[in-house]
Amino acid sequence: AQRVTQPEKLLSVFKGAPVELKCNYSYSGSPELFWYVQYSRQRLQLLLRHISRESIKGFTADLNKGETSFHLKKPFAQEEDSAMYYCALSGQAGGTSYGKLTFGQGTILTVHP
Amino acid sequence: EPEVTQTPSHQVTQMGQEVILRCVPISNHLYFYWYRQILGQKVEFLVSFYNNEISEKSEIFDDQFSVERPDGSNFTLKIRSTKLEDSAMYFCASKGGLAGTGELFFGEGSRLTVL
């Protein structure tokens, strides 16, 4: 079974402060991890995924297999980062997969001016 | 930029009625999905569809649900006899041709309210 846990439903920070959105997963195989973001009144969209190892909008996330975590970090939060963030897992990286995603509960990030 | 489109954006129906939610995936994509999100809860996988058949479905996707790709462009979700607990936001998603990894592109969702 695959499971994704985002322990914080709400996270508030001030502009310029560092932010970390936590994500832990449970999966027996080799997962592919994603962060999706949903801005107000917009669709879910991919923010980043672990295999690309890139920084998007200043956000980074490192897959830690030992701790089964994929926390999302940004050193200096901006007001426009306010959104709902979902951590998601696809159970099979590479090979044959239909790409089903299992989502965490989501974290609402609010960045105050 | 190509997008997944969904109609209707909001549908209100009576319990026991049939509902069809429509999606137009991105044109060269091969994998299609339906997810739902009950208010205040997580986004849940319902079904995936590839090569004109269901490839995987969740326990939520019971006999009341069905999916179709009737004409090569639309991808529909039908709920045969709606229940109150079917009230949710339903998201369609599609993915490109490479098996395994890849980004899912989501539609804006169809909100279903069952009275």
Side-chain angles (χ1 to χ4, degrees):
Chain A
Q2 50 198 64
R3 185 183 298 162
V4 177
T5 304
Q6 291 179 250
E8 303 137 330
K9 200 156 187 172
L10 300 167
L11 186 61
S12 282
V13 300
F14 285 99
K15 178 182 166 183
V19 64
E20 181 179 50
L21 289 83
K22 291 187 166 44
C23 172
N24 288 90
Y25 67 90
S26 172
Y27 183 66
S28 55
S30 183
E32 185 175 6
L33 275 297
F34 302 82
W35 277 98
Y36 276 79
V37 61
Q38 188 173 30
Y39 300 104
S40 180
R41 295 194 181 87
Q42 294 187 28
R43 67 188 68 211
L44 274 164
Q45 55 188 280
L46 180 68
L47 181 61
L48 52 79
R49 57 193 198 192
H50 89 269
I51 61 168
S52 57
R53 302 183 70 83
E54 56 190 343
S55 172
I56 305 290
K57 299 184 179 183
F59 285 96
T60 59
D62 290 316
L63 179 61
N64 185 324
K65 290 187 178 179
E67 295 182 358
T68 59
S69 68
F70 188 57
H71 303 325
L72 182 69
K73 298 176 186 177
K74 185 168 182 176
F76 307 104
Q78 303 299 313
E79 288 176 71
E80 55 265 30
D81 296 328
S82 295
M84 173 75 101
Y85 291 81
Y86 292 96
C87 183
L89 178 152
S90 178
Q92 293 166 285
T96 302
S97 167
Y98 300 111
K100 175 187 105 176
L101 288 177
T102 298
F103 285 87
Q105 289 275 90
T107 298
I108 300 172
L109 173 66
T110 304
V111 182
H112 299 285
Chain B
E1 191 173 321
E3 289 181 336
V4 175
T5 57
Q6 290 185 241
T7 54
S9 56
H10 188 194
Q11 180 155 358
V12 181
T13 190
Q14 296 289 326
M15 193 168 57
Q17 295 296 304
E18 177 183 280
V19 158
I20 297 177
L21 305 178
R22 291 183 168 79
C23 170
V24 179
I26 294 173
S27 64
N28 61 346
H29 283 185
L30 300 178
Y31 300 85
F32 313 110
Y33 310 84
W34 283 101
Y35 288 80
R36 79 168 186 194
Q37 185 175 31
I38 295 171
L39 187 65
Q41 298 186 23
K42 65 167 68 178
V43 178
E44 299 173 290
F45 169 76
L46 289 177
V47 64
S48 59
F49 192 86
Y50 171 70
N51 201 25
N52 281 319
E53 60 183 21
I54 290 173
S55 48
E56 188 175 357
K57 60 183 180 180
S58 71
E59 58 272 13
I60 303 167
F61 194 88
D62 61 21
D63 292 344
Q64 292 300 312
F65 290 89
S66 61
V67 288
E68 256 194 333
R69 189 156 159 78
D71 56 13
S73 63
N74 289 284
F75 179 52
T76 61
L77 174 70
K78 184 196 287 188
I79 309 174
R80 232 179 305 278
S81 175
T82 50
K83 303 190 274 282
L84 295 175
E85 54 265 36
D86 294 327
S87 294
M89 182 73 99
Y90 289 81
F91 294 103
C92 174
S94 68
K95 185 166 80 78
L98 188 66
T101 61
E103 174 185 356
L104 266 63
F105 291 82
F106 285 84
E108 291 187 312
S110 293
R111 182 172 299 283
L112 176 64
T113 302
V114 182
L115 302 176

